[in-house]
Amino acid sequence: MHREPPSRVELLQGTLDLLILRTLLAGPTHGHAIAKHIQRTSEDLLQVETGSLYPALHRLEAKEWIAASWKLSDRGKRARYYRLTPRGRKQLASEQSKWRAFSRAVGLILNPVDQEGP
Amino acid sequence: MHREPPSRVELLQGTLDLLILRTLLAGPTHGHAIAKHIQRTSEDLLQVETGSLYPALHRLEAKEWIAASWKLSDRGKRARYYRLTPRGRKQLASEQSKWRAFSRAVGLILNPVDQEGP
DNA sequence: AAGATTCTGTAGAGTGTCTACTGATGACGG
DNA sequence: CCGTCATCAGTAGACACTCTACAGAATCTT
C-alpha cells in the first residue's frame, strides 16, 4: 500500500553516511534507533530503509569510522551498538563541511546573486 | 594525479538535472555553455564532466523536459541548443522544492533544534 | 497460540556520476 | 601550410549507493 502523508524525500546518494555519523555523535546506538532518529529529527521527511541502513553501517565499520559491539537494547533484544571512532569524528567533520559547500553551491545556482528579475 | 586547487565537490546523484533545468531557465544554450555556467556560478565548486553532462541532456530530452536544435555557437561551431519545455518548467519547480525540503531535512539532522520542552 | 514489534540482515535492480576515450571543426602562430 | 589549442559533442564501462522485497529470530501482547 501507499502512504506518505508527510510526502517523503529520497536520500541523495552519499548523504546517508553523514546522517549516520552525525547521529552517533550524540552517543552510541543501534541501527534501528539510528533510522528512527533520522526520521524523527527530520520531521518525517527522511526515511532510511533497512536495505540502505545496514550496508551503510557495515561500510562505515569496514572503514573504521565506527565500531560495534553486541548489547541488549532497552526493550531487551540483542542489538548491535555502534559508536564513533576518532577517525569517524574526523570524517564527520569533513563530510559536514563538504555538505555545507555543496548546498551553498547549489544555492548559488538556484538563486544567483547576479542581477535577475525586474 | 591530484589537482583541485579550489577543492571541488562531487555532485550528489540527482542534482544535475536540477542544475541543468535551472540554467536553461535563463534562456536556451548548448551543453558546453551549461557546464561552464554551472562551474562559474558555483564559484568553481561544482564541475560537470562531459560523461555526466551529455547523458543527462539526452535523458532530459527523452523525458521532454527540454528540447533541442542545432545552431551555430558564438564562436562559429555547430552546437546543440537546448531550451526548457513547459513540462520542463513544471519539473524544475518540483525539483527545486524537493531540493529545499531535502536540504532543510539534512539541516535538521546536522543542527537539531533540540526540543524537550517543559 | 497467534500476531505484532523490534532488530538485523541479504539479493538484486535501478540510477546516475565519474574516468577515459574518440572525433570533428575553427582560430592562430610560426 | 601545418601543428596546436580551444570549442563542442558524444560513448563505454566502472563504480557507488539507495531502493524494493524478502527472510529470520527474539520478545511482548492479546
Side-chain angles (χ1 to χ4, degrees):
Chain A
M1 289 314 178
H2 253 62
R3 61 186 163 90
E4 41 226 303
S7 84
R8 264 151 200 154
V9 178
E10 287 199 355
L11 279 180
L12 292 184
Q13 222 168 275
T15 46
L16 181 53
D17 290 5
L18 170 60
L19 300 180
I20 292 175
L21 293 174
R22 180 60 183 80
T23 297
L24 288 179
L25 188 61
T29 15
H30 52 86
H32 196 71
I34 293 174
K36 292 271 189 199
H37 175 263
I38 291 176
Q39 183 169 345
R40 210 170 350 93
T41 307
S42 72
E43 297 172 1
D44 271 335
L45 269 162
L46 305 179
Q47 178 166 14
V48 183
E49 305 299 330
T50 69
S52 315
L53 177 67
Y54 292 106
L57 288 171
H58 301 335
R59 227 160 45 219
L60 297 179
E61 191 180 4
K63 288 175 176 166
E64 296 185 344
W65 293 340
I66 63 181
S69 52
W70 288 103
K71 289 184 185 168
L72 277 188
S73 75
D74 291 349
R75 292 172 180 80
K77 303 211 169 96
R78 110 192 192 293
R80 198 150 169 80
Y81 275 73
Y82 291 94
R83 61 184 177 283
L84 272 182
T85 64
R87 296 171 66 177
R89 280 168 200 275
K90 280 188 194 168
Q91 184 61 21
L92 170 57
S94 155
E95 297 208 7
Q96 221 161 357
S97 76
K98 263 192 210 165
W99 164 258
R100 278 193 272 263
F102 180 76
S103 69
R104 175 167 166 276
V106 172
L108 287 171
I109 310 280
L110 296 188
N111 319 294
V113 269
D114 240 37
Q115 85 264 23
E116 180 150 26
Chain B
M1 233 79 84
H2 258 68
R3 60 185 158 87
E4 41 227 302
S7 85
R8 264 154 201 151
V9 178
E10 286 198 357
L11 279 180
L12 293 184
Q13 220 168 280
T15 47
L16 181 52
D17 291 4
L18 170 60
L19 299 181
I20 292 175
L21 293 175
R22 181 58 183 83
T23 297
L24 289 179
L25 188 61
T29 16
H30 52 86
H32 196 71
I34 293 173
K36 292 273 190 199
H37 174 263
I38 290 176
Q39 183 169 345
R40 211 171 349 92
T41 307
S42 72
E43 297 172 1
D44 272 336
L45 269 162
L46 305 179
Q47 179 167 14
V48 184
E49 305 299 329
T50 70
S52 315
L53 177 67
Y54 292 107
L57 289 171
H58 301 337
R59 224 158 47 217
L60 297 178
E61 192 181 1
K63 289 175 175 166
E64 295 184 344
W65 294 341
I66 63 181
S69 53
W70 288 103
K71 289 185 185 167
L72 278 187
S73 76
D74 292 348
R75 290 173 182 78
K77 306 217 166 89
R78 113 193 190 294
R80 198 150 170 79
Y81 276 73
Y82 291 95
R83 61 184 177 282
L84 271 183
T85 65
R87 295 171 66 176
R89 278 169 202 277
K90 280 189 195 168
Q91 183 62 21
L92 170 57
S94 155
E95 297 209 6
Q96 221 160 357
S97 77
K98 263 193 210 167
W99 164 258
R100 278 193 272 263
F102 179 76
S103 69
R104 174 167 168 277
V106 173
L108 286 172
I109 309 280
L110 296 189
N111 318 296
V113 200
D114 220 289
Q115 71 276 39
E116 289 324 295

